[in-house]
Amino acid sequence: FTRWLGGHALVVAAITWTACVASTPSSIANFGIFSPGALLGNLLVVPLASLAIVAGFVALLFGLAGLLPVTLLVNHAAAVLILVMDRLVQ
């Protein structure tokens, strides 16, 4: 479990680092803003965003299957994830 979790943590860190390196020059050039805390913030937000996307897809599948109560539950779970991400960004 530790190896699996460590592997996923490294993947998330690599995605975050890549996004930070790719977007920092653009942010500085267009907005004149450099935010060094963005790297740490993205380490928290990226996994939550992935879960929200998966929840949306699962809700779509349950909706197509006609399981409305389960669809609503999964959509609400995704909404909670999005609210948590919003609070973390603020």
Side-chain angles (χ1 to χ4, degrees):
F1 175 75
T2 305
R3 184 178 291 176
W4 175 83
L5 187 62
H8 284 290
L10 287 175
V11 168
V12 169
I15 291 170
T16 300
W17 177 252
T18 303
C20 186
V21 168
S23 65
T24 296
S26 175
S27 294
I28 293 170
N30 292 321
F31 306 110
I33 296 173
F34 174 66
S35 55
L39 180 63
L40 187 58
N42 281 338
L43 284 173
L44 298 171
V45 173
V46 168
L48 294 175
S50 300
L51 287 174
I53 291 168
V54 169
F57 179 72
V58 169
L60 217 143
L61 291 177
F62 282 128
L64 289 173
L67 300 169
L68 185 61
V70 180
T71 303
L72 292 173
L73 177 70
V74 175
N75 274 333
H76 282 87
V80 168
L81 286 171
I82 292 169
L83 285 172
V84 168
M85 286 187 303
D86 185 50
R87 297 291 184 247
L88 286 172
V89 169
Q90 290 178 8

